[in-house]
């Protein structure tokens, strides 16, 4: 860096420009336009300072120091902070992002300071201010220089040449009445401040190290020490109080400030404390050496030095200002207005802390509720995307902070590796950290770091601690407000999640809901492992990523590594296997893709998906157990992309969700198991298959009422009895559900057994009636149509049927006529002594016999019912149709008769004797 300071110098010569490319000065539009002035430098330049900086990262801190020292030397402490912030952004854009050297020129005039930053990257890109300024992502280090100029500077502009870009901004001094800095009204003599007959003002000068270099005669009179007695001694040796009352400002720190006023005590040579009021001014000599000039008077004579309070210009009553009221220390550090959101407040804090100590980086960590861990919440000058929300232990464990509860200064981190885990691998050498405390409780940690060793001492630690004390309460208040909002949002999220999970008993749908609720709300990707029983290994059941194209890659990766251990301990635990496996896979793919060709190395195209998968699972991965009914039934795995971490609040929310999801998943498992058992038992009540009868077409349609039911109170059967003879039955047990199904099983199996024992139709039904009555309270009355079928050689079929309380079978002839094929008889399960008889029916070729249960004939739509007549009308339209077509037409007519779902079981049995073919 090269610098030059020329007090009282003339305005610099205009920069050379290309005749074909005149200077361009952008004039923003909108609200900011009133503050932008593109005039040439017409004010009288009273001093200027110039410096050049190399294109390296440490130049940004050096540029900040250069501007700060220059303006403080000129006595412009009111605008130092804004000038340093703007210079930091513009130099960062030049040396870091543009990669060129930067020239900084400071020009002093009567009404303010103009600062110019030039670089060798003449890109024409100027933000338009027609709308609200968007400062971009808080994690970004660049791209905000011109926007900050528009927000902070009184005037600003940009000049272009073919080889340079020059950004300048003007910071005006606070306006004061001409010829008067401050004034008060005329007062009667008895109201004037009281002072001794001779007011003595001690003038003491303090060097960079805090030692006394000058001590005037009034100082000797006030404190009794001769100049040779105190010269070379630190002023703090004479100070009676270690801190200024009410502000916690150390005297050593006050000596480092550009301007300071306050009270403390000086111990005289007689040993007694002399209260004094002091006014400090930080200056530097022509050689650039800083020192502090202290003006001291007796405390009761403070009116000689004390700066009167400024009354706002908008106040109509000057006497309304409260005496002793001063600027809020919080706003002094943060600026006004302070950011309303926590992230904005923390980002502003680290940026101001970095600038205050001329550091290369700064960071702020917040403590968890139990104060056992610190979580990275804001940083500048560090890879914040990689570090944000990373957690480190406070008291014990690897990677802990050794002295987080006290201020700490590390002159060289290479001597104590790992002392500040956040800075590992960042190139930072020296660091100062201070705690944030509220009412004695640790709430966070603030740190500033530099690339050079030995940059910080205890003085910087005191300054940073003073700043931390200013903002600790505001940060904690904002954090609690954010935490309250997060908890309210978490409650809403959990309520919605519980409703969704309770709305299904399907296992696969429950797995999908679990994943969809976590991605992307809680994590970037998730995987669900399930465990069938205690002896089974975890099985990868579901994978989801917010980018659907990455799902297959993650699923393939997870299937190749052992699943996480099913540990029942509650809470999230870190699982490093996916990230390590992805890294190794990407490394192997890269090595395979390198081959010799026209160039020494050539990367193949197959590496793309592997690298994408590695990036997707390269961040923090956590596993939460799914525990239900004291058993681990699976694991919920959540992941972040490369180098990202989970917030503690997100992990707590995920833990609550995992408990609800585990119970829902276990309920779905139990329901699926019970449904499978029920359906298996129900299928055992149905005939295994229908026999093929030579010369007779048979078709059956069966529909059980109720969700998940395969068998109800209606049943059918068709089975061979002996050679040439077949039995058939269709019945209806009173009621539906499992109780009716139990009687169904009894009836079907009893019919087969009795018929094959040689009993005729009436005997079979009488014995079945006795078996039903033997069931006692579990018995149900039963309507049953039972018959025996004998196909004949002439193409007809002979049937013997018994209709016990069942809807009568209908016979459809070839001419379209429909008639009952049997007479009604008593139903079963009601009376003990039954006298049943069978009737013989002959089906000619082309005839159809239709048997149905009452669920068909009693199909209703309001007050309308299909009935026997309606069924007969539909059957008349089935002439010439096959048995299958007849059954299908009947079922279609029943379904169309009413819009509601059927409330009763339905069974349709159609038998048809085909017509004899004539050759």
């Amino acid at each position: 860096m090269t610098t030059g300071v020329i007090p009282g110098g003339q305005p610099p010569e205009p920069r050379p420009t290309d005749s074909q490319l005149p200077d361009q000065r952008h004039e923003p539009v909108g609200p900011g336009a009133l503050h932008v002035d593109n005039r040439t430098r017409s004010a009288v330049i009273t001093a200027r300072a110039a410096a050049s900086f190399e294109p390296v990262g440490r130049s940004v801190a050096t540029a900040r120091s250069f501007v700060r020292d220059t303006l403080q030397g000129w006595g412009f402490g009111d605008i130092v902070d804004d000038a340093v912030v703007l210079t930091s952004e513009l130099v960062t854009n030049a040396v870091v992002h543009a990669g060129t050297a930067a020239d900084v020129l400071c020009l002093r005039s009567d009404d303010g300071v103009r600062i110019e930053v030039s670089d060798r990257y003449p890109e024409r890109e100027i933000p338009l201010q027609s709308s609200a300024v968007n400062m971009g992502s808080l994690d970004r280090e660049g791209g905000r220089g011109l926007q900050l100029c528009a927000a902070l500077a009184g005037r600003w502009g940009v000049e272009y040449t073919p080889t340079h870009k020059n950004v300048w901004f003007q910071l005006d001094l606070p306006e004061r009445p001409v010829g008067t800095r401050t004034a008060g009204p005329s007062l009667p003599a008895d109201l004037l401040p009281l002072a001794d007959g001779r007011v003595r003002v001690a003038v003491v000068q303090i060097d960079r190290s805090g030692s006394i270099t000058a001590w005037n005669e009034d100082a000797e009179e006030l404190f009794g020490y001769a100049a040779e007695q105190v010269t070379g001694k630190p002023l703090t040796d004479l100070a009676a109080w270690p801190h200024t009352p009410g502000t916690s400002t150390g005297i050593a720190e006050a000596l480092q400030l550009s301007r300071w006023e306050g009270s403390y005590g000086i111990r005289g040579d007689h040993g007694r404390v002399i209260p004094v009021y002091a006014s400090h001014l930080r200056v530097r000599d022509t050689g650039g050496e800083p020192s502090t000039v202290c003006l001291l008077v007796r405390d009761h004579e403070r009116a000689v030095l004390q700066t009167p309070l400024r009354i706002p210009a908008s106040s109509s009553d000057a006497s309304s200002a409260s005496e002793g009221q001063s600027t809020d220390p919080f706003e002094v550090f943060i600026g006004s207005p302070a950011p309303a959101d926590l992230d904005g407040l923390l980002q502003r804090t680290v940026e101001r802390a970095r600038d205050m100590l001329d550091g290369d980086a700064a960071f702020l960590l917040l403590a968890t509720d139990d104060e056992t861990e610190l979580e990275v919440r804001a940083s500048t000058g560090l890879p914040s995307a990689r570090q944000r929300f990373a957690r480190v232990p406070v008291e014990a464990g690897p990677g802990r902070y050794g002295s987080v509860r006290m201020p700490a200064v590390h002159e060289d981190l290479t001597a104590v590796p790992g002392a500040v885990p956040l800075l590992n691998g960042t190139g930072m050498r020296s660091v100062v950290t201070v705690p944030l405390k509220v009412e004695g409780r640790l709430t966070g940690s603030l740190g500033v770091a530099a690339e050079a060793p030995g940059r910080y001492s205890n003085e910087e630690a005191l300054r940073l601690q003073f700043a931390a004390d200013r903002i600790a309460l505001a940060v904690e208040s904002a954090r609690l407000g954010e935490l309250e909002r997060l908890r309210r949002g978490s409650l809403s999220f959990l309520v919605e999640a519980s409703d969704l999970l309770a709305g299904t008993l399907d296992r696969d749908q429950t797995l999908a809901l679990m994943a969809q609720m976590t991605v992307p709300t809680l994590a970037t990707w998730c995987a669900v492992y399930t465990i069938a029983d205690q002896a089974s290994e975890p099985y990868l059941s579901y994978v989801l990523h917010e980018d659907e194209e990455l799902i297959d890659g993650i699923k393939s990766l997870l299937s190749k590594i052992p699943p996480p251990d099913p540990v029942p301990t509650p809470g999230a635990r870190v699982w490093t296997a996916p990230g390590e496996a992805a890294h190794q896979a990407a490394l192997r793919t890269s090595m395979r893709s390198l081959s010799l060709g026209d160039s020494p190395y050539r990367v193949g195209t197959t590496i793309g998906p592997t690298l994408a998968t590695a990036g997707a699972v390269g961040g923090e991965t956590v596993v939460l157990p799914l525990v239900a009914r004291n058993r681990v039934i699976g694991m919920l795995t959540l992941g972040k992309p490369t180098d990202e971490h989970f917030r503690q609040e997100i992990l707590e929310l995920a833990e609550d969700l995992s408990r609800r999801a585990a119970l829902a998943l276990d309920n779905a498992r139990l329901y699926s198991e019970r449904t499978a058992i029920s359906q298996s038992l129900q299928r055992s009540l149905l005939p295994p298959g229908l026999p093929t009868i030579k010369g007779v077409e048979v078709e059956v349609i069966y529909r059980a009422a109720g969700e998940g039911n395969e068998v109800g109170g209606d049943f059918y059967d068709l089975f061979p009895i002996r050679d040439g003879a077949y039995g058939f039955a269709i019945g209806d047990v009173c009621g539906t559900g499992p109780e009716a199904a139990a009687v169904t099983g009894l009836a079907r199996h009893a019919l087969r057994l009795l018929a094959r024992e040689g009993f005729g139709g009436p005997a079979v039904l009488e014995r079945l009636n006795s078996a039903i009555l033997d069931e006692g309270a579990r018995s149900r009355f039963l309507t049953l149509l039972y018959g025996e079928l004998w196909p004949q050689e002439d193409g007809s079929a002979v049937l013997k049927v018994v209709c016990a309380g069942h809807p009568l079978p209908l016979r459809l002839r070839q001419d379209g006529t429909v008639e009952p094929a049997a007479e009604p008889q008593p139903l079963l399960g009601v009376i003990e002594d039954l006298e049943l008889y069978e009737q013989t029916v002959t089906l000619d070729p082309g005839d159809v016999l239709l048997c149905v249960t009452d669920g068909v004939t009693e199909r209703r739509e309001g007050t309308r019912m299909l009935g026997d007549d309606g069924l007969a009308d539909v059957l008349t339209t089935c002439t010439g149709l096959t048995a299958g077509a007849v059954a299908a037409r009947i079922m279609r007519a029943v379904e169309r008769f009413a819009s509601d779902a059927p409330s009763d079981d339905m069974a349709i049995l159609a038998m048809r004797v085909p017509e004899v073919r004539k050759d």
Side-chain angles (χ1 to χ4, degrees):
M1 180 189 79
T2 58
T3 62
V5 181
I6 307 99
Q10 298 301 316
E13 295 297 327
R15 299 181 182 273
T17 59
D18 193 307
S19 59
Q20 302 301 323
L21 183 63
D23 292 350
Q24 300 182 30
R25 294 182 175 88
H26 176 70
E27 188 167 337
V29 296
L34 296 178
H35 303 289
V36 178
D37 186 3
N38 294 321
R39 298 173 299 175
T40 58
R41 300 188 290 271
S42 60
V44 176
I45 305 301
T46 59
R48 67 177 179 177
S52 297
F53 302 94
E54 298 177 355
V56 293
R58 65 177 65 91
S59 295
V60 179
T62 309
R64 289 196 296 266
S65 300
F66 164 70
V67 172
R68 181 185 299 277
D69 293 342
T70 299
L71 298 190
Q72 287 179 348
W74 289 347
F76 291 165
D78 293 339
I79 59 176
V80 164
D81 289 340
D82 288 345
V84 168
V85 169
L86 294 177
T87 303
S88 178
E89 289 294 334
L90 296 177
V91 173
T92 298
N93 289 340
V95 303
V96 176
H97 302 296
T100 73
D103 300 326
V104 179
L105 175 65
C106 300
L107 302 174
R108 183 181 71 184
S109 63
D110 295 334
D111 57 350
V113 170
R114 172 180 170 127
I115 297 178
E116 301 180 1
V117 178
S118 300
D119 61 52
R120 281 93 167 157
Y121 190 73
E123 178 185 358
R124 289 158 179 77
E125 180 180 352
I126 304 178
L128 297 178
Q129 301 299 319
S130 58
S131 59
V133 176
N134 179 14
M135 293 300 179
S137 170
L138 294 177
D139 291 335
R140 292 181 57 191
E141 284 294 303
R144 300 179 296 182
L146 298 182
Q147 294 175 335
L148 284 174
C149 288
L152 299 179
R155 295 183 292 277
W156 68 280
V158 184
E159 301 172 355
Y160 292 102
T161 72
T163 59
H164 288 74
K165 179 178 68 176
N166 179 38
V167 182
W168 63 269
F169 60 88
Q170 177 90 21
L171 296 175
D172 299 328
L173 295 176
E175 295 184 3
R176 304 184 178 95
V178 177
T180 303
R181 182 176 184 272
T182 182
S186 299
L187 295 176
D190 57 347
L191 296 182
L192 295 176
L194 182 63
D196 292 343
R198 183 184 183 310
V199 176
R200 298 185 180 275
V201 180
V203 180
V204 182
Q205 192 162 4
I206 312 298
D207 63 12
R208 181 195 295 268
S209 64
S211 301
I212 299 172
T213 59
W215 185 269
N216 72 342
E217 294 180 357
D218 282 352
E220 295 181 6
E221 291 293 332
L222 285 174
F223 309 122
Y225 299 106
E228 57 270 14
Q229 292 179 273
V230 296
T231 301
K233 292 184 177 180
L235 179 64
T236 52
D237 290 352
L238 305 180
W241 300 330
H243 298 89
T244 302
T247 65
S248 299
T249 304
I251 291 183
E253 180 183 358
L255 294 175
Q256 301 297 321
L257 301 179
S258 62
R259 189 179 296 275
W260 184 86
E261 288 185 19
S263 299
Y264 50 87
I266 296 294
R267 191 177 303 278
D269 66 340
H270 44 62
R272 293 191 301 272
V273 174
I274 302 172
V276 297
Y277 188 84
S279 175
H280 298 176
L281 177 65
R282 187 81 162 159
V283 299
R284 67 171 178 167
D285 60 19
T286 56
E289 183 67 20
S291 62
T292 303
V293 177
C294 305
L295 305 181
L296 310 175
V297 298
R298 294 182 179 91
D299 192 60
H300 66 273
E301 296 173 340
R302 64 171 56 204
V304 176
L305 300 179
Q306 187 172 21
T307 302
L309 296 176
R310 296 183 182 178
I311 301 175
S314 59
S315 176
S316 60
D317 185 6
S319 62
S320 63
S322 302
E323 293 186 3
Q325 184 177 5
S326 60
T327 305
D328 185 358
F330 170 74
E331 291 188 356
V332 171
F333 180 70
I334 292 296
S336 181
D341 62 303
L342 177 62
D343 289 337
L345 177 61
L346 299 182
Q347 193 65 28
R348 177 83 64 85
T349 297
V350 295
E351 290 174 354
R352 290 297 174 91
R354 176 199 63 187
D355 295 342
M356 183 179 71
L357 298 187
D358 294 333
D360 297 308
F363 54 89
L364 192 149
L365 302 89
L366 293 184
T368 55
D369 290 339
D370 56 5
E371 299 183 24
T372 60
E373 288 185 315
L374 292 172
E375 188 176 66
V376 180
R377 291 301 303 270
S379 64
T380 182
L382 296 174
S384 54
R386 173 173 64 89
Q387 300 288 357
R388 199 174 187 203
F389 301 126
R391 292 176 300 280
V392 293
V394 174
E395 300 293 351
R400 69 184 180 90
Y401 279 93
S403 55
V404 71
R405 298 186 184 275
M406 295 291 292
V409 176
H410 295 279
E411 295 183 353
D412 193 347
L413 288 176
T414 59
V416 280
V420 182
L422 181 64
L423 301 180
N424 292 342
T426 62
M428 300 297 163
R429 296 283 298 276
S430 54
V431 62
V432 53
T433 62
V434 297
L436 275 67
K437 293 185 176 181
V438 175
E439 297 179 352
R441 182 174 62 87
L442 178 68
T443 61
S445 177
L446 176 63
V448 177
E451 294 178 353
R455 284 282 299 276
Y456 302 116
S457 64
N458 289 337
E459 295 181 1
E460 283 79 13
L462 288 174
R463 292 179 62 193
L464 190 61
Q465 184 66 71
F466 182 42
D469 293 340
R470 293 178 184 177
I471 56 97
L473 185 60
V475 169
E476 180 66 5
S477 177
R479 187 187 74 86
L480 293 176
E482 180 194 64
L483 187 60
E484 180 63 24
R485 290 190 295 272
L486 283 174
R487 286 175 176 170
R488 290 180 181 177
S490 299
L491 289 176
S492 300
F493 173 78
L494 290 175
V495 168
E496 182 179 357
S498 298
D499 289 343
L500 290 173
L501 291 171
T504 179
L505 287 173
D506 182 82
R507 176 182 176 276
D508 293 338
Q509 189 173 0
T510 302
L511 290 173
L513 283 174
M514 290 171 57
Q516 291 167 6
M517 285 185 293
T518 57
V519 176
T521 306
L522 305 182
T524 306
W525 65 272
C526 106
V528 183
Y529 290 85
T530 57
I531 303 175
D533 52 58
Q534 297 290 350
S536 301
E537 291 292 327
Y539 174 74
L540 182 61
S541 299
Y542 202 91
V543 176
L544 183 65
H545 191 280
E546 60 183 7
D547 185 353
E548 294 183 357
E549 295 181 355
L550 297 176
I551 293 178
D552 291 339
I554 297 177
K555 186 182 299 183
S556 175
L557 175 70
L558 295 178
S559 63
K560 297 176 182 177
I561 62 176
D565 296 331
V567 179
T569 305
R573 69 181 192 278
V574 177
W575 187 32
T576 59
E580 295 173 353
H583 175 73
Q584 293 298 325
L587 182 60
R588 289 192 300 268
T589 304
S590 299
M591 295 176 65
R592 286 196 302 267
S593 299
L594 295 175
S595 59
L596 295 177
D598 298 335
S599 59
Y601 297 100
R602 179 164 49 91
V603 179
T605 58
T606 58
I607 194 174
T610 304
L611 291 180
T613 301
V617 301
E620 188 175 43
T621 302
V622 297
V623 177
L624 298 104
L626 298 174
V627 181
R629 298 175 176 89
N630 298 322
R631 187 174 74 87
V632 180
I633 64 171
M635 286 87 69
L636 177 63
T637 303
L638 307 179
K640 287 281 190 178
T642 300
D643 294 329
E644 290 194 16
H645 299 266
F646 286 97
R647 296 188 59 175
Q648 185 64 32
E649 294 82 4
I650 295 298
L651 294 180
E652 293 173 357
L653 178 58
E655 185 178 357
D656 286 339
L657 176 64
S658 67
R659 287 195 291 267
R660 289 165 170 79
L663 187 59
L665 183 61
D666 199 46
N667 288 339
R669 178 187 63 83
L670 293 175
Y671 177 78
S672 299
E673 290 178 356
R674 293 179 181 179
T675 300
I677 293 172
S678 174
Q679 292 176 347
S680 177
L681 293 175
Q682 291 181 53
R683 283 192 293 268
S684 69
L685 302 179
L686 295 176
L690 298 179
T692 300
I693 304 176
K694 184 178 180 180
V696 178
E697 298 175 359
V698 179
E699 182 65 28
V700 175
I701 296 179
Y702 182 86
R703 300 285 172 82
E707 182 179 358
N709 291 329
E710 294 190 13
V711 178
D714 292 6
F715 69 96
Y716 68 92
D717 201 359
L718 179 65
F719 54 92
I721 299 176
R722 51 190 174 273
D723 292 341
Y726 297 87
F728 66 91
I730 184 169
D732 185 1
V733 180
C734 174
T736 59
E739 294 84 1
V743 179
T744 297
L746 171 65
R748 194 178 70 82
H749 292 292
L751 287 175
R752 287 195 173 209
L753 178 62
L754 294 172
R756 288 171 176 172
E757 288 295 324
F759 293 98
V764 169
L765 268 59
E766 289 170 0
R767 284 164 175 74
L768 176 59
N769 180 66
S770 299
I772 294 174
L773 292 175
D774 289 343
E775 291 293 312
R778 296 182 299 176
S779 65
R780 293 283 192 276
F781 63 80
L782 168 66
T783 67
L784 180 64
L785 172 65
Y786 174 75
E788 295 179 357
L789 170 67
W790 288 271
Q792 303 298 310
E793 294 182 357
D794 60 359
S796 63
V798 176
L799 293 82
K800 292 184 179 181
V801 297
V802 180
C803 187
H806 198 77
L808 300 179
L810 299 179
R811 176 181 182 180
L812 172 64
R813 296 183 180 273
Q814 284 186 334
D815 59 3
T817 60
V818 176
E819 60 185 8
E823 298 177 353
Q825 299 185 56
L827 51 78
L828 307 181
V830 178
I831 58 177
E832 294 184 1
D833 298 328
L834 288 178
E835 294 183 1
L836 302 176
Y837 58 92
E838 61 184 9
Q839 296 175 276
T840 302
V841 179
T842 301
L843 295 181
D844 298 325
D847 289 352
V848 176
L849 184 70
L850 177 66
C851 308
V852 300
T853 57
D854 60 5
V856 175
T857 56
E858 294 180 2
R859 176 71 165 153
R860 295 179 180 273
E861 174 70 21
T863 59
R864 297 170 51 242
M865 186 172 71
L866 180 62
D868 296 334
D869 294 338
L871 179 62
D873 292 341
V874 176
L875 185 58
T876 58
T877 65
C878 298
T879 304
L881 299 180
T882 63
V886 171
R889 179 170 292 187
I890 297 297
M891 178 56 71
R892 189 162 51 250
V894 172
E895 291 174 342
R896 292 178 177 176
F897 187 80
S899 58
D900 296 336
S903 59
D904 194 5
D905 304 328
M906 292 186 294
I908 300 174
L909 172 61
M911 293 183 291
R912 176 177 180 269
V913 178
E915 300 177 1
V916 179
R917 294 182 179 180
K918 296 181 180 180
D919 296 334

